[in-house]
Amino acid sequence: MATPLRIATFNLENLDDKPDARPSLKERIAVLRPQLLRLRADVICFQEVNGQEFEGGPRQLDALNQLLAETPYEWFYTAHTKTTRDEAYDQRNLVVISRYPIRDVQQIKHEYAPKPSYRKVTADPAEDAKEITWERPILYVTIDLGAGRMLHLLNVHMKSKRPSNISGQKINNYTWRTMAGWAEGSFISAMKRVGQALELRVLIDDIFDKLDVSGEPKYIVACGDFNADVNEVPLQAIMGPVEETGNTGLIERIMIPCEESIPESSRYSLFHLGRKEMLDHILATRQLLTYYRGAEIHNEVLHDESGAFRTDDKFPESDHAPIVAEFVLP
């Protein structure tokens, strides 16, 4: 009997439930819930899910629970990133929900790629070299698809292209003092993004090594907001195209972006300054691609997240489009 498998990724853009938030969670749910139902997903990777405080108890993902209520997703298995206190982070949690049982959950950060040290050249006053760390871990879950088949799912949210802070180089949160300071902040953000890509690629190779030994199917998928398109260094590093490595012996280990089957004119998940950008991806192994049936990017009503002279009011929908890839396993 065939096993349908629709895998989706969706950056919910700071999903929260603050009393003074504009728009309110109720207004956001009215727009986001139909988007989720349209996905008809078996597995969803979420990014930017904020946690909510409860007196006397651990921080929870109550806003997400409210969003999923009264939908089939309400009963899905769930895994999410956690602090050392075993509770949700305050901001930007990674979450996986699955129709199929989640058997194992790992949270990976600087286990495969140590923190690099860097001395800022424009910091005022001058600083000694400090360790550079990425803000978010990789959420690695193993999902039981039945019949001895396990899906190795990696949910990621890489550093945005916004410049990292440089001491003494900002007038306020939105204004840089010098061009050089802005440039160095951008360089540090790029370093973090490529560092996360390196850690993800080493992890993927480690999973391949283990599956080579066990003989299990190589069903590996990396989903999320990569903040880079397929032609940029982070995605190239994760994908490992043979044209770049020059080694055909590694051809079974490349990761393929599912959106490549979508016409280029419709291949975007975010608008920025009037430009269409594809920053969210679902990458699959060649073996899993055997059973690939197609992908969708639900970007019909996507707004420009960077419009000039915006007020503090936000759109109720996310500034990212959800993406879904469909497989039918034998």
Side-chain angles (χ1 to χ4, degrees), residues 115-128:
K115 302 173 187 176
S117 292
Y118 174 75
R119 184 180 63 83
K120 296 175 182 175
V121 299
T122 64
D124 185 16
E127 299 178 1
D128 293 330

Side-chain angles (χ1 to χ4, degrees), residues 33 145 252-253 290:
R33 189 179 286 167
L145 301 176
E252 292 299 323
R253 293 194 171 206
T290 304

Side-chain angles (χ1 to χ4, degrees), residues 201 220-224 226 228-231 235-236 238-241 254-262 267 278-286 289 292 294-297 323-325 327:
R201 182 66 246 190
I220 308 171
V221 173
C223 293
F226 293 76
D229 68 31
V230 293
N231 296 312
L235 260 291
Q236 290 288 301
I238 297 163
M239 291 159 53
I254 66 172
M255 300 293 291
I256 299 123
C258 292
E259 77 264 9
E260 289 295 297
S261 62
I262 294 174
R267 199 184 305 156
M278 190 69 201
L279 304 184
D280 305 83
H281 305 276
I282 299 175
L283 309 177
T285 56
R286 292 178 70 96
L289 205 70
Y292 174 65
E296 305 163 13
I297 307 173
I323 304 168
V324 61
F327 306 84

Side-chain angles (χ1 to χ4, degrees), residues 177-241:
R177 192 175 301 279
T178 68
M179 293 288 286
W182 173 85
E184 184 171 34
S186 298
F187 166 69
I188 292 172
S189 292
M191 190 191 320
K192 293 178 180 180
R193 197 160 51 252
V194 176
Q196 287 177 282
L198 168 63
E199 182 150 53
L200 179 59
R201 182 66 246 190
V202 178
L203 171 58
I204 290 171
D205 281 349
D206 186 57
I207 297 171
F208 267 111
D209 290 342
K210 291 173 181 175
L211 296 180
D212 281 342
V213 173
S214 69
E216 296 175 48
K218 297 176 177 62
Y219 295 165
I220 308 171
V221 173
C223 293
D225 178 0
F226 293 76
N227 274 303
D229 68 31
V230 293
N231 296 312
E232 294 183 86
V233 171
L235 260 291
Q236 290 288 301
I238 297 163
M239 291 159 53

